[in-house]
Amino acid sequence: MSQQSVIYLLKEKLSQLSKTEKKLATWILENPKKVTTMTVTQLSEVSDASPATIVRLCYSLGLAGFTDLKFRLSREEKIIDQALHTDIVKNENVSTIKKKLKFTLNNAFEETISLLSDQDILKAVSMIEDAEIIYTFGIGASGLAASDLFQKFTRVGKSIMYSLDNHLLSTAIASTEKKN
């Protein structure tokens, strides 16, 4: 099971939830500390959601059930107290911004680790090792990542092509062998 923050998970999945699950998730996000001391029936009454919706939401989040939700929320009490799961706001102090960024980055790493299998990573490494030339591209922030990858692979002697011109890349990719 991923150790990603359940608060972060709720916020991330909010747009993908059904209308009733979304309403329940919003209530939980607004009252996370209360949920840790409630029963399913109590949460059902105050949030105007059925017990089945509560359990369904837990499963939608990849949790084992309502008890798991309560446990994960109670583990995040410090995060909840410091409101680290909220967006950065104007005139917020630097220390709080640093904590919020750390919280967000840790969650991104936890999610990435939970989604990547060792087998997929080894397959990708093998494909990179076997390629005569690697093509990389991106637009906007992805372009920065592609540029960084170009610089790093160039340093270790890998042939890599990076261009901001997507037409040039399209032509290069179309005329190359499948293994690249």
Side-chain angles (χ1 to χ4, degrees):
M1 174 177 65
S2 168
Q3 293 305 307
Q4 183 179 10
S5 161
V6 74
I7 295 283
Y8 187 81
L9 197 54
L10 277 163
K11 291 177 83 174
E12 183 182 79
K13 302 271 187 190
L14 202 57
S15 65
Q16 302 165 19
L17 299 172
S18 70
K19 186 178 176 181
T20 54
E21 288 177 344
K22 189 180 294 188
K23 182 180 173 187
L24 173 61
T26 302
W27 195 94
I28 292 170
L29 285 168
E30 291 170 357
N31 305 280
K33 287 178 83 171
K34 290 181 182 178
V35 176
T36 62
T37 61
M38 294 178 149
T39 65
V40 172
T41 306
Q42 290 169 328
L43 178 57
S44 174
E45 290 170 2
V46 298
S47 66
D48 199 29
S50 71
T53 299
I54 295 168
V55 173
R56 233 184 357 263
L57 173 65
C58 293
Y59 292 150
S60 295
L61 298 173
L63 304 174
F66 182 63
T67 304
D68 193 19
L69 173 67
K70 288 174 33 171
F71 174 72
R72 299 272 297 268
L73 284 171
S74 67
R75 269 195 356 215
E76 296 177 24
E77 190 169 331
K78 183 178 177 184
I79 292 164
I80 293 165
D81 287 343
Q82 295 179 12
L84 299 181
H85 60 285
T86 60
D87 292 331
I88 295 171
V89 294
K90 187 175 181 178
N91 298 324
E92 197 158 37
N93 71 53
V94 174
S95 177
T96 302
I97 292 171
K98 288 181 356 186
K99 288 176 184 174
K100 285 182 176 184
L101 289 172
K102 179 183 175 194
F103 173 73
T104 301
L105 289 171
N106 283 343
N107 276 290
F109 284 123
E110 287 294 338
E111 182 177 13
T112 301
I113 287 169
S114 72
L115 294 173
L116 287 175
S117 73
D118 292 351
Q119 184 180 0
D120 289 341
I121 293 171
L122 292 172
K123 183 179 177 183
V125 167
S126 177
M127 290 172 73
I128 290 169
E129 287 175 340
D130 293 346
E132 291 176 19
I133 187 165
I134 299 165
Y135 298 92
T136 183
F137 61 93
I139 297 171
S142 297
L144 295 173
S147 174
D148 186 50
L149 188 65
F150 168 79
Q151 187 264 344
K152 288 190 172 38
F153 276 139
T154 302
R155 266 202 231 157
V156 295
K158 227 27 208 166
S159 294
I160 184 165
M161 182 174 176
Y162 166 70
S163 174
L164 294 173
D165 183 344
N166 59 354
H167 296 291
L168 176 63
L169 271 171
S170 296
T171 304
I173 291 170
S175 63
T176 190
E177 295 179 27
K178 184 175 178 159
K179 69 178 182 175
N180 292 322

